[in-house]
Amino acid sequence: MTTLLYGRPPAVFDPPGAATQLSPLIPGSTPLEDLAEGSADDIMIHAPPGVLERRYALALALKALKVGGRLDVMAAKDKGGSRLKKELEGFGVEVGESAKAHHRRCVVIRPETLTGLDAAIATGAPRLVEGLDAWSQPGVFAWDRIDAGSLLLAQALPPLKGAGVDLGCGYGALATVVLGSPAVTALRLVDLDRRAIAAAKKNITDPRASFEWADARTLEDVGALNFVVSNPPFHDGGAEDKRLGQAFIRKAAGLLKKGGVLWIVANRHLPYEAELKDAFKRVDMIADSGGYKVFEAVK
Ligand SMILES: C[S@@+](CC[C@H](N)C(=O)[O-])C[C@H]1O[C@@H](n2cnc3c(N)ncnc32)[C@H](O)[C@@H]1O
């Protein structure tokens, strides 16, 4: 019997050691959408914090379970845990709830009849977002808007040249601006989120673009690119983590050739200057507005 696991539950929940991973945030995992209906015996879900993406994942998981199969879901109380029981009951199931380590845990045995699954799946599915004119999906970073940091960076960017990469490309908002420069010869779009990469592929059909579902920190330090653009993440598993952005800065330096340029935006309060000055020859702050700073750093 294969155990299916979505995300990385805290160790107190005793997640299965050998399991097929389903989270879109873990490169190489199996999409929950690909599981055959009524095929699974057991699914454990560390539920995501967004309401729409959580209900989408729960509905897909219930659909994938056999009648009599077991769904074991947990979430931190302040990250959706306190709503879990009600959300699951909305699908017509009986829920056993317990509390542990600031989480709520809900266990469900799949009954014959379920309700509301298709509506939850439709609400969390990829779509062309009205007003944004781009494909995106609930759960993707700033999925239905242009992030203010990315907008500031886009406004500050000069036309770039040569080959480059967008680290943490999301659904491709910044990459679209970069590709507006005819002097760009190639652009790699990299993101940890499978849904973001899938949306970016639909949004950008330019043959200069290529797409990588990957952890940017694991990319090879090719030392060959002309430019890097990034609005780096600063949350890991829901908690603020400045080390992520700092790792992106070091990776950008490893990817660039000498004289190559990094364009990066960051929340004002994040301490990136020291990391930039360490890894780059010249660092200039180009914009400082609305709580964000844009830096140009030359290797
Ligand atoms: C602040 S968002 C910027 C997204 C996009 N540039 C935009 O403007 O909408 C950061 C992005 O980095 C991605 N990300 C987080 N951790 C990552 C990692 N280790 N490697 C690659 N991408 C990552 C997130 O999924 C998210 O799409």
Side-chain angles (χ1 to χ4, degrees), residues 261-286:
V261 60
L262 164 65
W263 283 88
I264 189 165
V265 63
N267 284 48
R268 255 186 135 249
H269 71 279
L270 289 168
Y272 292 157
E273 275 96 333
E275 203 72 36
L276 283 166
K277 286 191 174 135
D278 240 31
F280 289 86
K281 198 162 125 199
R282 203 193 81 220
V283 179
D284 292 307
M285 191 167 73
I286 304 297

mmCIF file with all atom_site columns, all heavy atoms in Angstrom, residues 261-286:
data_model
loop_
_atom_site.group_PDB
_atom_site.id
_atom_site.type_symbol
_atom_site.label_atom_id
_atom_site.label_alt_id
_atom_site.label_comp_id
_atom_site.label_asym_id
_atom_site.label_entity_id
_atom_site.label_seq_id
_atom_site.pdbx_PDB_ins_code
_atom_site.Cartn_x
_atom_site.Cartn_y
_atom_site.Cartn_z
_atom_site.occupancy
_atom_site.B_iso_or_equiv
_atom_site.pdbx_formal_charge
_atom_site.auth_seq_id
_atom_site.auth_comp_id
_atom_site.auth_asym_id
_atom_site.auth_atom_id
_atom_site.pdbx_PDB_model_num
ATOM 1   N N   . VAL A 1 261 ? 24.757 41.553 -13.821 1.00 0.00 ? 261 VAL A N   1
ATOM 2   C CA  . VAL A 1 261 ? 24.029 42.433 -12.913 1.00 0.00 ? 261 VAL A CA  1
ATOM 3   C C   . VAL A 1 261 ? 22.821 41.728 -12.286 1.00 0.00 ? 261 VAL A C   1
ATOM 4   O O   . VAL A 1 261 ? 22.110 40.989 -12.958 1.00 0.00 ? 261 VAL A O   1
ATOM 5   C CB  . VAL A 1 261 ? 23.615 43.733 -13.659 1.00 0.00 ? 261 VAL A CB  1
ATOM 6   C CG1 . VAL A 1 261 ? 22.717 43.435 -14.843 1.00 0.00 ? 261 VAL A CG1 1
ATOM 7   C CG2 . VAL A 1 261 ? 22.934 44.720 -12.737 1.00 0.00 ? 261 VAL A CG2 1
ATOM 8   N N   . LEU A 1 262 ? 22.659 41.966 -10.985 1.00 0.00 ? 262 LEU A N   1
ATOM 9   C CA  . LEU A 1 262 ? 21.472 41.477 -10.267 1.00 0.00 ? 262 LEU A CA  1
ATOM 10  C C   . LEU A 1 262 ? 20.547 42.662 -10.009 1.00 0.00 ? 262 LEU A C   1
ATOM 11  O O   . LEU A 1 262 ? 20.986 43.695 -9.487  1.00 0.00 ? 262 LEU A O   1
ATOM 12  C CB  . LEU A 1 262 ? 21.888 40.863 -8.920  1.00 0.00 ? 262 LEU A CB  1
ATOM 13  C CG  . LEU A 1 262 ? 20.760 40.644 -7.885  1.00 0.00 ? 262 LEU A CG  1
ATOM 14  C CD1 . LEU A 1 262 ? 19.746 39.607 -8.368  1.00 0.00 ? 262 LEU A CD1 1
ATOM 15  C CD2 . LEU A 1 262 ? 21.346 40.210 -6.533  1.00 0.00 ? 262 LEU A CD2 1
ATOM 16  N N   . TRP A 1 263 ? 19.277 42.503 -10.374 1.00 0.00 ? 263 TRP A N   1
ATOM 17  C CA  . TRP A 1 263 ? 18.231 43.462 -9.999  1.00 0.00 ? 263 TRP A CA  1
ATOM 18  C C   . TRP A 1 263 ? 17.312 42.763 -9.014  1.00 0.00 ? 263 TRP A C   1
ATOM 19  O O   . TRP A 1 263 ? 16.725 41.728 -9.331  1.00 0.00 ? 263 TRP A O   1
ATOM 20  C CB  . TRP A 1 263 ? 17.449 43.911 -11.238 1.00 0.00 ? 263 TRP A CB  1
ATOM 21  C CG  . TRP A 1 263 ? 18.197 44.919 -12.051 1.00 0.00 ? 263 TRP A CG  1
ATOM 22  C CD1 . TRP A 1 263 ? 19.095 44.660 -13.046 1.00 0.00 ? 263 TRP A CD1 1
ATOM 23  C CD2 . TRP A 1 263 ? 18.132 46.343 -11.914 1.00 0.00 ? 263 TRP A CD2 1
ATOM 24  N NE1 . TRP A 1 263 ? 19.593 45.838 -13.553 1.00 0.00 ? 263 TRP A NE1 1
ATOM 25  C CE2 . TRP A 1 263 ? 19.015 46.889 -12.878 1.00 0.00 ? 263 TRP A CE2 1
ATOM 26  C CE3 . TRP A 1 263 ? 17.424 47.218 -11.093 1.00 0.00 ? 263 TRP A CE3 1
ATOM 27  C CZ2 . TRP A 1 263 ? 19.203 48.263 -13.025 1.00 0.00 ? 263 TRP A CZ2 1
ATOM 28  C CZ3 . TRP A 1 263 ? 17.592 48.584 -11.246 1.00 0.00 ? 263 TRP A CZ3 1
ATOM 29  C CH2 . TRP A 1 263 ? 18.487 49.098 -12.201 1.00 0.00 ? 263 TRP A CH2 1
ATOM 30  N N   . ILE A 1 264 ? 17.222 43.335 -7.818  1.00 0.00 ? 264 ILE A N   1
ATOM 31  C CA  . ILE A 1 264 ? 16.478 42.651 -6.766  1.00 0.00 ? 264 ILE A CA  1
ATOM 32  C C   . ILE A 1 264 ? 15.636 43.646 -5.963  1.00 0.00 ? 264 ILE A C   1
ATOM 33  O O   . ILE A 1 264 ? 16.060 44.792 -5.746  1.00 0.00 ? 264 ILE A O   1
ATOM 34  C CB  . ILE A 1 264 ? 17.458 41.871 -5.850  1.00 0.00 ? 264 ILE A CB  1
ATOM 35  C CG1 . ILE A 1 264 ? 16.710 40.960 -4.876  1.00 0.00 ? 264 ILE A CG1 1
ATOM 36  C CG2 . ILE A 1 264 ? 18.428 42.778 -5.109  1.00 0.00 ? 264 ILE A CG2 1
ATOM 37  C CD1 . ILE A 1 264 ? 17.617 39.918 -4.207  1.00 0.00 ? 264 ILE A CD1 1
ATOM 38  N N   . VAL A 1 265 ? 14.455 43.206 -5.555  1.00 0.00 ? 265 VAL A N   1
ATOM 39  C CA  . VAL A 1 265 ? 13.603 44.049 -4.711  1.00 0.00 ? 265 VAL A CA  1
ATOM 40  C C   . VAL A 1 265 ? 13.414 43.334 -3.381  1.00 0.00 ? 265 VAL A C   1
ATOM 41  O O   . VAL A 1 265 ? 13.386 42.103 -3.333  1.00 0.00 ? 265 VAL A O   1
ATOM 42  C CB  . VAL A 1 265 ? 12.236 44.335 -5.395  1.00 0.00 ? 265 VAL A CB  1
ATOM 43  C CG1 . VAL A 1 265 ? 11.426 43.061 -5.612  1.00 0.00 ? 265 VAL A CG1 1
ATOM 44  C CG2 . VAL A 1 265 ? 11.410 45.332 -4.590  1.00 0.00 ? 265 VAL A CG2 1
ATOM 45  N N   . ALA A 1 266 ? 13.308 44.123 -2.312  1.00 0.00 ? 266 ALA A N   1
ATOM 46  C CA  . ALA A 1 266 ? 13.134 43.522 -0.989  1.00 0.00 ? 266 ALA A CA  1
ATOM 47  C C   . ALA A 1 266 ? 12.292 44.433 -0.116  1.00 0.00 ? 266 ALA A C   1
ATOM 48  O O   . ALA A 1 266 ? 12.293 45.657 -0.299  1.00 0.00 ? 266 ALA A O   1
ATOM 49  C CB  . ALA A 1 266 ? 14.489 43.318 -0.330  1.00 0.00 ? 266 ALA A CB  1
ATOM 50  N N   . ASN A 1 267 ? 11.587 43.830 0.820   1.00 0.00 ? 267 ASN A N   1
ATOM 51  C CA  . ASN A 1 267 ? 10.904 44.642 1.824   1.00 0.00 ? 267 ASN A CA  1
ATOM 52  C C   . ASN A 1 267 ? 11.959 45.463 2.556   1.00 0.00 ? 267 ASN A C   1
ATOM 53  O O   . ASN A 1 267 ? 13.040 44.966 2.841   1.00 0.00 ? 267 ASN A O   1
ATOM 54  C CB  . ASN A 1 267 ? 10.182 43.743 2.828   1.00 0.00 ? 267 ASN A CB  1
ATOM 55  C CG  . ASN A 1 267 ? 8.922  43.168 2.236   1.00 0.00 ? 267 ASN A CG  1
ATOM 56  O OD1 . ASN A 1 267 ? 8.961  42.662 1.123   1.00 0.00 ? 267 ASN A OD1 1
ATOM 57  N ND2 . ASN A 1 267 ? 7.830  43.257 2.934   1.00 0.00 ? 267 ASN A ND2 1
ATOM 58  N N   . ARG A 1 268 ? 11.613 46.692 2.832   1.00 0.00 ? 268 ARG A N   1
ATOM 59  C CA  . ARG A 1 268 ? 12.543 47.646 3.450   1.00 0.00 ? 268 ARG A CA  1
ATOM 60  C C   . ARG A 1 268 ? 13.241 47.109 4.685   1.00 0.00 ? 268 ARG A C   1
ATOM 61  O O   . ARG A 1 268 ? 14.407 47.382 4.925   1.00 0.00 ? 268 ARG A O   1
ATOM 62  C CB  . ARG A 1 268 ? 11.748 48.882 3.888   1.00 0.00 ? 268 ARG A CB  1
ATOM 63  C CG  . ARG A 1 268 ? 11.966 49.994 3.004   1.00 0.00 ? 268 ARG A CG  1
ATOM 64  C CD  . ARG A 1 268 ? 11.345 51.263 3.418   1.00 0.00 ? 268 ARG A CD  1
ATOM 65  N NE  . ARG A 1 268 ? 12.377 52.254 3.219   1.00 0.00 ? 268 ARG A NE  1
ATOM 66  C CZ  . ARG A 1 268 ? 12.978 52.875 4.183   1.00 0.00 ? 268 ARG A CZ  1
ATOM 67  N NH1 . ARG A 1 268 ? 12.644 52.658 5.426   1.00 0.00 ? 268 ARG A NH1 1
ATOM 68  N NH2 . ARG A 1 268 ? 13.921 53.740 3.902   1.00 0.00 ? 268 ARG A NH2 1
ATOM 69  N N   . HIS A 1 269 ? 12.481 46.347 5.511   1.00 0.00 ? 269 HIS A N   1
ATOM 70  C CA  . HIS A 1 269 ? 13.038 45.958 6.803   1.00 0.00 ? 269 HIS A CA  1
ATOM 71  C C   . HIS A 1 269 ? 13.994 44.771 6.706   1.00 0.00 ? 269 HIS A C   1
ATOM 72  O O   . HIS A 1 269 ? 14.624 44.413 7.691   1.00 0.00 ? 269 HIS A O   1
ATOM 73  C CB  . HIS A 1 269 ? 11.909 45.648 7.796   1.00 0.00 ? 269 HIS A CB  1
ATOM 74  C CG  . HIS A 1 269 ? 11.181 44.366 7.484   1.00 0.00 ? 269 HIS A CG  1
ATOM 75  N ND1 . HIS A 1 269 ? 10.195 44.287 6.539   1.00 0.00 ? 269 HIS A ND1 1
ATOM 76  C CD2 . HIS A 1 269 ? 11.312 43.121 7.985   1.00 0.00 ? 269 HIS A CD2 1
ATOM 77  C CE1 . HIS A 1 269 ? 9.739  43.045 6.482   1.00 0.00 ? 269 HIS A CE1 1
ATOM 78  N NE2 . HIS A 1 269 ? 10.412 42.311 7.350   1.00 0.00 ? 269 HIS A NE2 1
ATOM 79  N N   . LEU A 1 270 ? 14.107 44.186 5.514   1.00 0.00 ? 270 LEU A N   1
ATOM 80  C CA  . LEU A 1 270 ? 14.935 42.976 5.434   1.00 0.00 ? 270 LEU A CA  1
ATOM 81  C C   . LEU A 1 270 ? 16.411 43.331 5.253   1.00 0.00 ? 270 LEU A C   1
ATOM 82  O O   . LEU A 1 270 ? 16.770 44.189 4.448   1.00 0.00 ? 270 LEU A O   1
ATOM 83  C CB  . LEU A 1 270 ? 14.451 42.082 4.288   1.00 0.00 ? 270 LEU A CB  1
ATOM 84  C CG  . LEU A 1 270 ? 13.112 41.408 4.578   1.00 0.00 ? 270 LEU A CG  1
ATOM 85  C CD1 . LEU A 1 270 ? 12.539 40.770 3.322   1.00 0.00 ? 270 LEU A CD1 1
ATOM 86  C CD2 . LEU A 1 270 ? 13.245 40.358 5.673   1.00 0.00 ? 270 LEU A CD2 1
ATOM 87  N N   . PRO A 1 271 ? 17.288 42.652 5.988   1.00 0.00 ? 271 PRO A N   1
ATOM 88  C CA  . PRO A 1 271 ? 18.704 43.014 6.011   1.00 0.00 ? 271 PRO A CA  1
ATOM 89  C C   . PRO A 1 271 ? 19.490 42.345 4.883   1.00 0.00 ? 271 PRO A C   1
ATOM 90  O O   . PRO A 1 271 ? 20.167 41.360 5.094   1.00 0.00 ? 271 PRO A O   1
ATOM 91  C CB  . PRO A 1 271 ? 19.154 42.477 7.379   1.00 0.00 ? 271 PRO A CB  1
ATOM 92  C CG  . PRO A 1 271 ? 18.290 41.281 7.595   1.00 0.00 ? 271 PRO A CG  1
ATOM 93  C CD  . PRO A 1 271 ? 16.985 41.534 6.890   1.00 0.00 ? 271 PRO A CD  1
ATOM 94  N N   . TYR A 1 272 ? 19.402 42.902 3.667   1.00 0.00 ? 272 TYR A N   1
ATOM 95  C CA  . TYR A 1 272 ? 20.090 42.280 2.537   1.00 0.00 ? 272 TYR A CA  1
ATOM 96  C C   . TYR A 1 272 ? 21.367 43.017 2.119   1.00 0.00 ? 272 TYR A C   1
ATOM 97  O O   . TYR A 1 272 ? 22.171 42.489 1.355   1.00 0.00 ? 272 TYR A O   1
ATOM 98  C CB  . TYR A 1 272 ? 19.160 42.181 1.321   1.00 0.00 ? 272 TYR A CB  1
ATOM 99  C CG  . TYR A 1 272 ? 18.011 41.209 1.490   1.00 0.00 ? 272 TYR A CG  1
ATOM 100 C CD1 . TYR A 1 272 ? 16.864 41.330 0.739   1.00 0.00 ? 272 TYR A CD1 1
ATOM 101 C CD2 . TYR A 1 272 ? 18.101 40.147 2.396   1.00 0.00 ? 272 TYR A CD2 1
ATOM 102 C CE1 . TYR A 1 272 ? 15.813 40.425 0.882   1.00 0.00 ? 272 TYR A CE1 1
ATOM 103 C CE2 . TYR A 1 272 ? 17.054 39.244 2.546   1.00 0.00 ? 272 TYR A CE2 1
ATOM 104 C CZ  . TYR A 1 272 ? 15.919 39.394 1.790   1.00 0.00 ? 272 TYR A CZ  1
ATOM 105 O OH  . TYR A 1 272 ? 14.886 38.500 1.940   1.00 0.00 ? 272 TYR A OH  1
ATOM 106 N N   . GLU A 1 273 ? 21.537 44.269 2.602   1.00 0.00 ? 273 GLU A N   1
ATOM 107 C CA  . GLU A 1 273 ? 22.673 45.080 2.114   1.00 0.00 ? 273 GLU A CA  1
ATOM 108 C C   . GLU A 1 273 ? 24.010 44.390 2.344   1.00 0.00 ? 273 GLU A C   1
ATOM 109 O O   . GLU A 1 273 ? 24.858 44.350 1.457   1.00 0.00 ? 273 GLU A O   1
ATOM 110 C CB  . GLU A 1 273 ? 22.703 46.452 2.795   1.00 0.00 ? 273 GLU A CB  1
ATOM 111 C CG  . GLU A 1 273 ? 21.809 47.486 2.118   1.00 0.00 ? 273 GLU A CG  1
ATOM 112 C CD  . GLU A 1 273 ? 20.453 47.569 2.803   1.00 0.00 ? 273 GLU A CD  1
ATOM 113 O OE1 . GLU A 1 273 ? 20.022 46.551 3.406   1.00 0.00 ? 273 GLU A OE1 1
ATOM 114 O OE2 . GLU A 1 273 ? 19.807 48.631 2.706   1.00 0.00 ? 273 GLU A OE2 1
ATOM 115 N N   . ALA A 1 274 ? 24.218 43.838 3.559   1.00 0.00 ? 274 ALA A N   1
ATOM 116 C CA  . ALA A 1 274 ? 25.519 43.246 3.888   1.00 0.00 ? 274 ALA A CA  1
ATOM 117 C C   . ALA A 1 274 ? 25.805 42.070 2.953   1.00 0.00 ? 274 ALA A C   1
ATOM 118 O O   . ALA A 1 274 ? 26.921 41.945 2.412   1.00 0.00 ? 274 ALA A O   1
ATOM 119 C CB  . ALA A 1 274 ? 25.527 42.778 5.341   1.00 0.00 ? 274 ALA A CB  1
ATOM 120 N N   . GLU A 1 275 ? 24.766 41.246 2.709   1.00 0.00 ? 275 GLU A N   1
ATOM 121 C CA  . GLU A 1 275 ? 24.927 40.079 1.823   1.00 0.00 ? 275 GLU A CA  1
ATOM 122 C C   . GLU A 1 275 ? 25.266 40.547 0.403   1.00 0.00 ? 275 GLU A C   1
ATOM 123 O O   . GLU A 1 275 ? 26.138 39.971 -0.259  1.00 0.00 ? 275 GLU A O   1
ATOM 124 C CB  . GLU A 1 275 ? 23.593 39.324 1.811   1.00 0.00 ? 275 GLU A CB  1
ATOM 125 C CG  . GLU A 1 275 ? 23.697 37.882 1.438   1.00 0.00 ? 275 GLU A CG  1
ATOM 126 C CD  . GLU A 1 275 ? 24.335 37.035 2.537   1.00 0.00 ? 275 GLU A CD  1
ATOM 127 O OE1 . GLU A 1 275 ? 24.095 37.313 3.721   1.00 0.00 ? 275 GLU A OE1 1
ATOM 128 O OE2 . GLU A 1 275 ? 25.081 36.110 2.170   1.00 0.00 ? 275 GLU A OE2 1
ATOM 129 N N   . LEU A 1 276 ? 24.584 41.611 -0.057  1.00 0.00 ? 276 LEU A N   1
ATOM 130 C CA  . LEU A 1 276 ? 24.835 42.130 -1.404  1.00 0.00 ? 276 LEU A CA  1
ATOM 131 C C   . LEU A 1 276 ? 26.265 42.658 -1.514  1.00 0.00 ? 276 LEU A C   1
ATOM 132 O O   . LEU A 1 276 ? 26.979 42.368 -2.476  1.00 0.00 ? 276 LEU A O   1
ATOM 133 C CB  . LEU A 1 276 ? 23.843 43.266 -1.721  1.00 0.00 ? 276 LEU A CB  1
ATOM 134 C CG  . LEU A 1 276 ? 22.417 42.831 -2.079  1.00 0.00 ? 276 LEU A CG  1
ATOM 135 C CD1 . LEU A 1 276 ? 21.453 44.010 -2.023  1.00 0.00 ? 276 LEU A CD1 1
ATOM 136 C CD2 . LEU A 1 276 ? 22.394 42.195 -3.482  1.00 0.00 ? 276 LEU A CD2 1
ATOM 137 N N   . LYS A 1 277 ? 26.677 43.407 -0.501  1.00 0.00 ? 277 LYS A N   1
ATOM 138 C CA  . LYS A 1 277 ? 28.025 44.026 -0.554  1.00 0.00 ? 277 LYS A CA  1
ATOM 139 C C   . LYS A 1 277 ? 29.117 42.950 -0.487  1.00 0.00 ? 277 LYS A C   1
ATOM 140 O O   . LYS A 1 277 ? 30.179 43.118 -1.080  1.00 0.00 ? 277 LYS A O   1
ATOM 141 C CB  . LYS A 1 277 ? 28.167 45.052 0.565   1.00 0.00 ? 277 LYS A CB  1
ATOM 142 C CG  . LYS A 1 277 ? 27.359 46.292 0.202   1.00 0.00 ? 277 LYS A CG  1
ATOM 143 C CD  . LYS A 1 277 ? 27.617 47.476 1.095   1.00 0.00 ? 277 LYS A CD  1
ATOM 144 C CE  . LYS A 1 277 ? 26.858 48.671 0.520   1.00 0.00 ? 277 LYS A CE  1
ATOM 145 N NZ  . LYS A 1 277 ? 26.134 49.429 1.527   1.00 0.00 ? 277 LYS A NZ  1
ATOM 146 N N   . ASP A 1 278 ? 28.806 41.872 0.204   1.00 0.00 ? 278 ASP A N   1
ATOM 147 C CA  . ASP A 1 278 ? 29.753 40.758 0.312   1.00 0.00 ? 278 ASP A CA  1
ATOM 148 C C   . ASP A 1 278 ? 29.960 40.049 -1.017  1.00 0.00 ? 278 ASP A C   1
ATOM 149 O O   . ASP A 1 278 ? 31.065 39.662 -1.364  1.00 0.00 ? 278 ASP A O   1
ATOM 150 C CB  . ASP A 1 278 ? 29.151 39.726 1.275   1.00 0.00 ? 278 ASP A CB  1
ATOM 151 C CG  . ASP A 1 278 ? 30.028 39.501 2.465   1.00 0.00 ? 278 ASP A CG  1
ATOM 152 O OD1 . ASP A 1 278 ? 30.708 40.467 2.858   1.00 0.00 ? 278 ASP A OD1 1
ATOM 153 O OD2 . ASP A 1 278 ? 30.006 38.366 2.978   1.00 0.00 ? 278 ASP A OD2 1
ATOM 154 N N   . ALA A 1 279 ? 28.838 39.866 -1.750  1.00 0.00 ? 279 ALA A N   1
ATOM 155 C CA  . ALA A 1 279 ? 28.876 39.012 -2.942  1.00 0.00 ? 279 ALA A CA  1
ATOM 156 C C   . ALA A 1 279 ? 29.105 39.797 -4.237  1.00 0.00 ? 279 ALA A C   1
ATOM 157 O O   . ALA A 1 279 ? 29.399 39.197 -5.266  1.00 0.00 ? 279 ALA A O   1
ATOM 158 C CB  . ALA A 1 279 ? 27.571 38.221 -3.038  1.00 0.00 ? 279 ALA A CB  1
ATOM 159 N N   . PHE A 1 280 ? 28.940 41.119 -4.200  1.00 0.00 ? 280 PHE A N   1
ATOM 160 C CA  . PHE A 1 280 ? 29.012 41.913 -5.429  1.00 0.00 ? 280 PHE A CA  1
ATOM 161 C C   . PHE A 1 280 ? 30.032 43.044 -5.305  1.00 0.00 ? 280 PHE A C   1
ATOM 162 O O   . PHE A 1 280 ? 30.328 43.518 -4.203  1.00 0.00 ? 280 PHE A O   1
ATOM 163 C CB  . PHE A 1 280 ? 27.626 42.485 -5.768  1.00 0.00 ? 280 PHE A CB  1
ATOM 164 C CG  . PHE A 1 280 ? 26.666 41.424 -6.225  1.00 0.00 ? 280 PHE A CG  1
ATOM 165 C CD1 . PHE A 1 280 ? 25.921 40.689 -5.315  1.00 0.00 ? 280 PHE A CD1 1
ATOM 166 C CD2 . PHE A 1 280 ? 26.540 41.126 -7.573  1.00 0.00 ? 280 PHE A CD2 1
ATOM 167 C CE1 . PHE A 1 280 ? 25.057 39.683 -5.728  1.00 0.00 ? 280 PHE A CE1 1
ATOM 168 C CE2 . PHE A 1 280 ? 25.677 40.124 -8.003  1.00 0.00 ? 280 PHE A CE2 1
ATOM 169 C CZ  . PHE A 1 280 ? 24.929 39.397 -7.078  1.00 0.00 ? 280 PHE A CZ  1
ATOM 170 N N   . LYS A 1 281 ? 30.560 43.483 -6.467  1.00 0.00 ? 281 LYS A N   1
ATOM 171 C CA  . LYS A 1 281 ? 31.593 44.523 -6.486  1.00 0.00 ? 281 LYS A CA  1
ATOM 172 C C   . LYS A 1 281 ? 30.980 45.899 -6.223  1.00 0.00 ? 281 LYS A C   1
ATOM 173 O O   . LYS A 1 281 ? 31.535 46.718 -5.497  1.00 0.00 ? 281 LYS A O   1
ATOM 174 C CB  . LYS A 1 281 ? 32.255 44.488 -7.877  1.00 0.00 ? 281 LYS A CB  1
ATOM 175 C CG  . LYS A 1 281 ? 33.575 45.175 -7.945  1.00 0.00 ? 281 LYS A CG  1
ATOM 176 C CD  . LYS A 1 281 ? 34.331 44.713 -9.173  1.00 0.00 ? 281 LYS A CD  1
ATOM 177 C CE  . LYS A 1 281 ? 34.704 45.949 -9.985  1.00 0.00 ? 281 LYS A CE  1
ATOM 178 N NZ  . LYS A 1 281 ? 35.033 45.627 -11.371 1.00 0.00 ? 281 LYS A NZ  1
ATOM 179 N N   . ARG A 1 282 ? 29.810 46.122 -6.870  1.00 0.00 ? 282 ARG A N   1
ATOM 180 C CA  . ARG A 1 282 ? 29.163 47.441 -6.712  1.00 0.00 ? 282 ARG A CA  1
ATOM 181 C C   . ARG A 1 282 ? 27.677 47.248 -6.416  1.00 0.00 ? 282 ARG A C   1
ATOM 182 O O   . ARG A 1 282 ? 27.020 46.435 -7.084  1.00 0.00 ? 282 ARG A O   1
ATOM 183 C CB  . ARG A 1 282 ? 29.304 48.223 -8.019  1.00 0.00 ? 282 ARG A CB  1
ATOM 184 C CG  . ARG A 1 282 ? 29.198 49.730 -7.850  1.00 0.00 ? 282 ARG A CG  1
ATOM 185 C CD  . ARG A 1 282 ? 29.031 50.421 -9.181  1.00 0.00 ? 282 ARG A CD  1
ATOM 186 N NE  . ARG A 1 282 ? 27.650 50.378 -9.631  1.00 0.00 ? 282 ARG A NE  1
ATOM 187 C CZ  . ARG A 1 282 ? 27.271 50.175 -10.899 1.00 0.00 ? 282 ARG A CZ  1
ATOM 188 N NH1 . ARG A 1 282 ? 28.154 49.978 -11.848 1.00 0.00 ? 282 ARG A NH1 1
ATOM 189 N NH2 . ARG A 1 282 ? 25.990 50.150 -11.213 1.00 0.00 ? 282 ARG A NH2 1
ATOM 190 N N   . VAL A 1 283 ? 27.165 47.962 -5.418  1.00 0.00 ? 283 VAL A N   1
ATOM 191 C CA  . VAL A 1 283 ? 25.743 47.843 -5.064  1.00 0.00 ? 283 VAL A CA  1
ATOM 192 C C   . VAL A 1 283 ? 25.141 49.243 -4.981  1.00 0.00 ? 283 VAL A C   1
ATOM 193 O O   . VAL A 1 283 ? 25.672 50.113 -4.285  1.00 0.00 ? 283 VAL A O   1
ATOM 194 C CB  . VAL A 1 283 ? 25.561 47.147 -3.693  1.00 0.00 ? 283 VAL A CB  1
ATOM 195 C CG1 . VAL A 1 283 ? 24.082 47.049 -3.328  1.00 0.00 ? 283 VAL A CG1 1
ATOM 196 C CG2 . VAL A 1 283 ? 26.200 45.758 -3.698  1.00 0.00 ? 283 VAL A CG2 1
ATOM 197 N N   . ASP A 1 284 ? 24.055 49.473 -5.720  1.00 0.00 ? 284 ASP A N   1
ATOM 198 C CA  . ASP A 1 284 ? 23.367 50.773 -5.645  1.00 0.00 ? 284 ASP A CA  1
ATOM 199 C C   . ASP A 1 284 ? 21.899 50.554 -5.331  1.00 0.00 ? 284 ASP A C   1
ATOM 200 O O   . ASP A 1 284 ? 21.267 49.664 -5.920  1.00 0.00 ? 284 ASP A O   1
ATOM 201 C CB  . ASP A 1 284 ? 23.452 51.507 -6.990  1.00 0.00 ? 284 ASP A CB  1
ATOM 202 C CG  . ASP A 1 284 ? 24.869 51.944 -7.292  1.00 0.00 ? 284 ASP A CG  1
ATOM 203 O OD1 . ASP A 1 284 ? 25.479 52.609 -6.431  1.00 0.00 ? 284 ASP A OD1 1
ATOM 204 O OD2 . ASP A 1 284 ? 25.382 51.580 -8.375  1.00 0.00 ? 284 ASP A OD2 1
ATOM 205 N N   . MET A 1 285 ? 21.370 51.407 -4.439  1.00 0.00 ? 285 MET A N   1
ATOM 206 C CA  . MET A 1 285 ? 19.929 51.365 -4.206  1.00 0.00 ? 285 MET A CA  1
ATOM 207 C C   . MET A 1 285 ? 19.279 52.278 -5.247  1.00 0.00 ? 285 MET A C   1
ATOM 208 O O   . MET A 1 285 ? 19.618 53.464 -5.329  1.00 0.00 ? 285 MET A O   1
ATOM 209 C CB  . MET A 1 285 ? 19.579 51.825 -2.797  1.00 0.00 ? 285 MET A CB  1
ATOM 210 C CG  . MET A 1 285 ? 18.132 51.530 -2.500  1.00 0.00 ? 285 MET A CG  1
ATOM 211 S SD  . MET A 1 285 ? 17.745 51.706 -0.774  1.00 0.00 ? 285 MET A SD  1
ATOM 212 C CE  . MET A 1 285 ? 17.800 53.461 -0.667  1.00 0.00 ? 285 MET A CE  1
ATOM 213 N N   . ILE A 1 286 ? 18.388 51.719 -6.056  1.00 0.00 ? 286 ILE A N   1
ATOM 214 C CA  . ILE A 1 286 ? 17.830 52.453 -7.197  1.00 0.00 ? 286 ILE A CA  1
ATOM 215 C C   . ILE A 1 286 ? 16.465 53.045 -6.854  1.00 0.00 ? 286 ILE A C   1
ATOM 216 O O   . ILE A 1 286 ? 16.071 54.067 -7.400  1.00 0.00 ? 286 ILE A O   1
ATOM 217 C CB  . ILE A 1 286 ? 17.711 51.511 -8.427  1.00 0.00 ? 286 ILE A CB  1
ATOM 218 C CG1 . ILE A 1 286 ? 19.071 50.894 -8.764  1.00 0.00 ? 286 ILE A CG1 1
ATOM 219 C CG2 . ILE A 1 286 ? 17.102 52.203 -9.623  1.00 0.00 ? 286 ILE A CG2 1
ATOM 220 C CD1 . ILE A 1 286 ? 20.151 51.884 -9.179  1.00 0.00 ? 286 ILE A CD1 1
#
